[in-house]
Short mmCIF file of all heavy atoms in Angstrom, two decimals:
data_model
loop_
_atom_site.label_atom_id
_atom_site.label_comp_id
_atom_site.label_asym_id
_atom_site.label_seq_id
_atom_site.Cartn_x
_atom_site.Cartn_y
_atom_site.Cartn_z
N GLY U 1608 -87.16 48.00 -58.08
CA GLY U 1608 -86.48 47.09 -57.16
C GLY U 1608 -86.65 47.53 -55.71
O GLY U 1608 -87.42 48.44 -55.40
N PRO U 1609 -85.93 46.87 -54.82
CA PRO U 1609 -86.06 47.19 -53.38
C PRO U 1609 -85.69 48.62 -53.07
O PRO U 1609 -84.84 49.22 -53.74
CB PRO U 1609 -85.06 46.21 -52.73
CG PRO U 1609 -84.21 45.66 -53.81
CD PRO U 1609 -84.98 45.77 -55.07
N ALA U 1610 -86.36 49.16 -52.07
CA ALA U 1610 -86.13 50.55 -51.69
C ALA U 1610 -84.72 50.71 -51.15
O ALA U 1610 -84.17 49.81 -50.50
CB ALA U 1610 -87.13 50.98 -50.64
N CYS U 1611 -84.15 51.86 -51.42
CA CYS U 1611 -82.77 52.14 -51.01
C CYS U 1611 -82.79 53.30 -50.02
O CYS U 1611 -83.70 54.13 -50.01
CB CYS U 1611 -81.96 52.50 -52.25
SG CYS U 1611 -80.24 52.95 -51.92
N ALA U 1612 -81.78 53.36 -49.21
CA ALA U 1612 -81.70 54.41 -48.20
C ALA U 1612 -81.67 55.80 -48.85
O ALA U 1612 -82.03 56.79 -48.21
CB ALA U 1612 -80.44 54.22 -47.35
N CYS U 1613 -81.27 55.86 -50.10
CA CYS U 1613 -81.15 57.16 -50.77
C CYS U 1613 -82.52 57.70 -51.16
O CYS U 1613 -82.63 58.83 -51.62
CB CYS U 1613 -80.26 57.04 -52.00
SG CYS U 1613 -81.06 56.26 -53.42
N GLY U 1614 -83.55 56.89 -51.05
CA GLY U 1614 -84.88 57.34 -51.45
C GLY U 1614 -85.34 56.74 -52.76
O GLY U 1614 -86.53 56.76 -53.08
N GLY U 1615 -84.41 56.20 -53.52
CA GLY U 1615 -84.77 55.59 -54.79
C GLY U 1615 -85.14 54.12 -54.61
O GLY U 1615 -85.29 53.63 -53.49
N ARG U 1616 -85.28 53.43 -55.71
CA ARG U 1616 -85.57 51.99 -55.69
C ARG U 1616 -84.64 51.30 -56.66
O ARG U 1616 -84.36 51.80 -57.74
CB ARG U 1616 -87.01 51.71 -56.12
CG ARG U 1616 -88.08 52.42 -55.32
CD ARG U 1616 -89.46 51.88 -55.70
NE ARG U 1616 -89.67 50.56 -55.11
CZ ARG U 1616 -90.22 50.37 -53.91
NH1 ARG U 1616 -90.62 51.39 -53.19
NH2 ARG U 1616 -90.36 49.15 -53.44
N GLY U 1617 -84.21 50.09 -56.27
CA GLY U 1617 -83.44 49.26 -57.20
C GLY U 1617 -82.09 49.83 -57.57
O GLY U 1617 -81.58 49.56 -58.66
N CYS U 1618 -81.49 50.62 -56.68
CA CYS U 1618 -80.16 51.14 -56.94
C CYS U 1618 -79.16 49.98 -56.99
O CYS U 1618 -79.39 48.92 -56.40
CB CYS U 1618 -79.73 52.08 -55.83
SG CYS U 1618 -80.79 53.52 -55.66
N LEU U 1619 -78.06 50.20 -57.64
CA LEU U 1619 -77.04 49.17 -57.77
C LEU U 1619 -76.63 48.61 -56.41
O LEU U 1619 -76.40 47.41 -56.27
CB LEU U 1619 -75.80 49.73 -58.48
CG LEU U 1619 -74.59 48.81 -58.60
CD1 LEU U 1619 -74.94 47.56 -59.38
CD2 LEU U 1619 -73.42 49.52 -59.25
N GLU U 1620 -76.55 49.47 -55.40
CA GLU U 1620 -76.15 48.99 -54.07
C GLU U 1620 -77.06 47.92 -53.53
O GLU U 1620 -76.64 47.11 -52.70
CB GLU U 1620 -76.09 50.17 -53.08
CG GLU U 1620 -74.73 50.79 -53.05
CD GLU U 1620 -74.56 51.71 -51.84
OE1 GLU U 1620 -75.25 51.54 -50.84
OE2 GLU U 1620 -73.72 52.58 -51.96
N GLN U 1621 -78.32 47.92 -53.96
CA GLN U 1621 -79.25 46.90 -53.49
C GLN U 1621 -78.92 45.53 -54.05
O GLN U 1621 -79.48 44.51 -53.63
CB GLN U 1621 -80.68 47.29 -53.85
CG GLN U 1621 -81.13 48.58 -53.22
CD GLN U 1621 -81.02 48.55 -51.72
OE1 GLN U 1621 -81.43 47.57 -51.08
NE2 GLN U 1621 -80.41 49.58 -51.15
N TYR U 1622 -78.04 45.48 -55.06
CA TYR U 1622 -77.70 44.21 -55.68
C TYR U 1622 -76.23 43.86 -55.51
O TYR U 1622 -75.86 42.71 -55.40
CB TYR U 1622 -78.04 44.24 -57.17
CG TYR U 1622 -79.50 44.54 -57.40
CD1 TYR U 1622 -79.93 45.82 -57.68
CD2 TYR U 1622 -80.45 43.52 -57.32
CE1 TYR U 1622 -81.26 46.11 -57.87
CE2 TYR U 1622 -81.80 43.79 -57.50
CZ TYR U 1622 -82.20 45.09 -57.78
OH TYR U 1622 -83.52 45.35 -57.95
N ALA U 1623 -75.39 44.89 -55.51
CA ALA U 1623 -73.95 44.62 -55.50
C ALA U 1623 -73.25 45.25 -54.31
O ALA U 1623 -72.04 45.15 -54.20
CB ALA U 1623 -73.33 45.12 -56.81
N GLY U 1624 -74.01 45.90 -53.44
CA GLY U 1624 -73.38 46.45 -52.24
C GLY U 1624 -72.98 45.33 -51.29
O GLY U 1624 -73.53 44.23 -51.33
N GLU U 1625 -72.02 45.61 -50.44
CA GLU U 1625 -71.49 44.55 -49.56
C GLU U 1625 -72.60 43.91 -48.74
O GLU U 1625 -72.71 42.69 -48.66
CB GLU U 1625 -70.43 45.16 -48.62
CG GLU U 1625 -69.73 44.12 -47.79
CD GLU U 1625 -68.63 44.73 -46.92
OE1 GLU U 1625 -67.56 45.06 -47.47
OE2 GLU U 1625 -68.84 44.89 -45.70
N GLU U 1626 -73.44 44.76 -48.18
CA GLU U 1626 -74.53 44.26 -47.35
C GLU U 1626 -75.45 43.32 -48.14
O GLU U 1626 -75.78 42.22 -47.69
CB GLU U 1626 -75.34 45.46 -46.85
CG GLU U 1626 -75.81 45.34 -45.42
CD GLU U 1626 -76.57 46.61 -45.04
OE1 GLU U 1626 -75.93 47.69 -45.03
OE2 GLU U 1626 -77.79 46.52 -44.81
N ALA U 1627 -75.84 43.76 -49.34
CA ALA U 1627 -76.76 42.98 -50.14
C ALA U 1627 -76.13 41.65 -50.53
O ALA U 1627 -76.79 40.60 -50.51
CB ALA U 1627 -77.17 43.77 -51.38
N VAL U 1628 -74.87 41.66 -50.90
CA VAL U 1628 -74.22 40.43 -51.33
C VAL U 1628 -74.09 39.46 -50.16
O VAL U 1628 -74.34 38.27 -50.29
CB VAL U 1628 -72.83 40.73 -51.94
CG1 VAL U 1628 -72.12 39.44 -52.31
CG2 VAL U 1628 -72.98 41.61 -53.17
N LEU U 1629 -73.73 39.99 -48.99
CA LEU U 1629 -73.63 39.12 -47.81
C LEU U 1629 -74.97 38.48 -47.50
O LEU U 1629 -75.06 37.29 -47.19
CB LEU U 1629 -73.13 39.93 -46.60
CG LEU U 1629 -71.65 40.27 -46.61
CD1 LEU U 1629 -71.33 41.27 -45.52
CD2 LEU U 1629 -70.80 39.02 -46.46
N ARG U 1630 -76.03 39.27 -47.62
CA ARG U 1630 -77.36 38.73 -47.33
C ARG U 1630 -77.70 37.63 -48.32
O ARG U 1630 -78.14 36.54 -47.95
CB ARG U 1630 -78.41 39.85 -47.39
CG ARG U 1630 -79.71 39.44 -46.71
CD ARG U 1630 -80.77 40.55 -46.78
NE ARG U 1630 -80.21 41.88 -46.61
CZ ARG U 1630 -80.29 42.85 -47.53
NH1 ARG U 1630 -80.93 42.62 -48.68
NH2 ARG U 1630 -79.76 44.03 -47.31
N ALA U 1631 -77.46 37.91 -49.61
CA ALA U 1631 -77.76 36.90 -50.64
C ALA U 1631 -76.92 35.65 -50.44
O ALA U 1631 -77.33 34.55 -50.80
CB ALA U 1631 -77.52 37.50 -52.03
N ALA U 1632 -75.73 35.82 -49.87
CA ALA U 1632 -74.85 34.67 -49.66
C ALA U 1632 -75.17 33.96 -48.35
O ALA U 1632 -74.58 32.93 -48.04
CB ALA U 1632 -73.39 35.14 -49.66
#
Side-chain angles (χ1 to χ4, degrees):
Chain U
C1611 177
C1613 77
R1616 304 189 75 90
C1618 299
L1619 175 60
E1620 270 194 24
Q1621 299 303 314
Y1622 302 97
E1625 187 177 284
E1626 219 179 296
V1628 176
L1629 285 170
R1630 197 181 322 119

